[in-house]
Amino acid sequence: MATWDGFQAFATTPAAAPPPPGTPHRSLEERLAYHSRFVTVRTPAINALAKNVRTLMILGRHQAVTARPSLIVTGPAGAGKTTALLQVGRACHLAHTRRHGAAATAGQAPVAYVLVPPAASAKTLAIEFARYLGIPVTAGMSQAQITNAVCHTYTAARVQLVMIDEIHRLNPRTTTGAQSADLIKDLTERIGATFVYAGIDVTTTPLFTGVRGAQLAGRASLIDCAAFPSRLGDQEPFRDLITAMESALDLRHHRPGTLPRLAPYLHERTAGRIGSLARLIRQAAITALLDGTERITKTTLDAIRLDHLAEQHYQPRARPRSRNTSTL
């Protein structure tokens, strides 16, 4: 995904979708592949990010003196930050192609997606930017030379949206982290694009500390991609999320309404994290296809081993011992 060819393939590949009513049954292999990819549910975080990105891109369209306003997507691990980022990037890419036509956009790359490498230095981060568009980098090139090549190529490719993931890996308190933060600031001022960052709980990291952190905080709006609450006033957003996922299942014997009724249990299993929930339902659906039951039950869900973070959170309640049970 962190190359233009990979992102373009992702953006232009039709999203997974359940079969329309009345269509012939899909084969087992087709349905296994479908549940492996599965649908992306439009969450409030995706909606908020899409709306804000569109607004900021228009706001900064004619801003040439200073860096354009930016966004930071934050939240716990498994909360759907990267999914939200990529879905908005896909929408931006497709909108650009529809607006200008495939022929006119040949050679253009409206969206860039870059991962911050672990313990990133300014040079290794600049190399990641270069790698995305296939800019040649030799061992003898300096950081300044790589940065100049990146700015020139990104401008020529008409990059409009730059998405930087794993931003929590940057620590401006260290020498290399400070240099990397300075590089990003330099890129935001030299590339005419809107920058969107995503990272784990960035407000609790050193990212917003010191002079460099203050500069970032003064330019970036924050979108919190938090875990889903089981209840929010009169609404039940987590149950609504489960209902949307259940409606996308392609299982012949699954009873609609089964999963929403298990909402309290599913929230406890996943701590409200969309990543853990999606994995649990997808894995249970694949299990149901392989064992021939073609339906998901609580027994099916209980047998699934989830990610370690979710398993650590989940503490199943032990059944109370019957008063009539005798002790030997």
Side-chain angles (χ1 to χ4, degrees):
M1 197 71 72
T3 65
W4 166 239
D5 289 340
F7 182 83
Q8 186 180 36
F10 159 77
T12 55
T13 300
T23 56
H25 289 308
R26 296 193 282 195
S27 69
L28 175 62
E29 285 303 319
E30 287 174 323
R31 291 185 295 143
L32 286 171
Y34 165 70
H35 288 99
S36 176
R37 292 178 61 200
F38 209 45
V39 299
T40 299
V41 177
R42 190 84 178 182
T43 64
I46 293 178
N47 290 333
L49 182 58
K51 180 180 179 180
N52 279 274
V53 166
R54 177 174 171 78
T55 303
L56 291 185
M57 289 178 72
I58 296 172
L59 179 65
R61 187 173 291 166
H62 302 291
Q63 187 168 330
V65 179
T66 59
R68 301 179 180 195
S70 56
L71 279 171
I72 296 179
V73 184
T74 184
K81 299 178 298 298
T82 297
T83 298
L85 206 64
L86 292 175
Q87 290 304 313
V88 170
R90 180 211 290 265
C92 179
H93 172 86
L94 294 177
H96 180 81
T97 304
R98 283 194 303 269
R99 187 162 55 248
H100 300 287
T105 56
Q108 297 181 15
V111 178
Y113 176 73
V114 177
L115 284 169
V116 176
S121 66
K123 187 171 184 177
T124 59
L125 183 55
I127 290 172
E128 287 301 306
F129 274 88
R131 187 168 73 91
Y132 180 80
L133 284 186
I135 302 170
V137 174
T138 62
M141 291 179 69
S142 67
Q143 177 202 323
Q145 289 174 318
I146 300 170
T147 302
N148 288 337
V150 165
C151 293
H152 172 78
T153 308
Y154 275 53
T155 300
R158 298 185 63 182
V159 175
Q160 300 174 6
L161 177 65
V162 177
M163 305 183 298
I164 304 179
D165 208 350
E166 307 290 348
I167 195 68
H168 58 271
R169 289 175 173 173
L170 290 185
N171 183 359
R173 291 177 180 172
T174 67
T175 301
T176 55
Q179 292 170 350
S180 299
D182 286 342
L183 171 67
I184 291 178
K185 180 178 180 294
D186 188 26
L187 294 177
T188 62
E189 293 172 347
R190 296 176 61 184
I191 299 173
T194 297
F195 279 66
V196 180
Y197 314 93
I200 297 173
D201 296 331
V202 296
T203 55
T204 64
T205 69
L207 197 62
F208 282 164
T209 60
V211 175
R212 293 174 178 86
Q215 287 179 326
L216 179 61
R219 290 175 174 173
S221 304
L222 204 67
I223 291 181
D224 194 355
C225 199
F228 275 67
S230 58
R231 182 175 290 277
L232 190 62
D234 295 332
Q235 299 179 327
E236 297 182 76
F238 192 71
R239 188 185 299 271
D240 294 339
L241 179 64
I242 295 169
T243 302
M245 288 187 178
E246 185 185 64
S247 67
L249 292 173
D250 191 5
L251 300 174
R252 294 174 187 172
H253 304 309
H254 183 78
R255 294 182 179 179
T258 299
L259 297 185
R261 284 193 292 272
L262 294 173
Y265 159 78
L266 290 170
H267 194 273
E268 193 173 0
R269 278 293 307 267
T270 63
R273 288 189 290 267
I274 188 172
S276 299
L277 177 68
R279 174 176 169 176
L280 179 59
I281 292 177
R282 288 165 57 218
Q283 200 165 335
I286 290 171
T287 300
L289 286 169
L290 293 176
D291 66 19
T293 58
E294 297 265 355
R295 62 177 176 269
I296 298 176
T297 64
K298 187 173 182 297
T299 302
T300 314
L301 296 166
D302 278 337
I304 302 295
R305 292 293 297 175
L306 267 180
D307 56 275
H308 183 61
L309 195 61
E311 293 295 345
Q312 276 189 313
H313 169 83
Y314 179 55
Q315 298 293 333
R317 296 182 179 87
R319 293 183 179 179
R321 177 179 293 184
S322 171
R323 294 180 179 178
N324 295 328
T325 302
S326 59
T327 303
L328 297 178

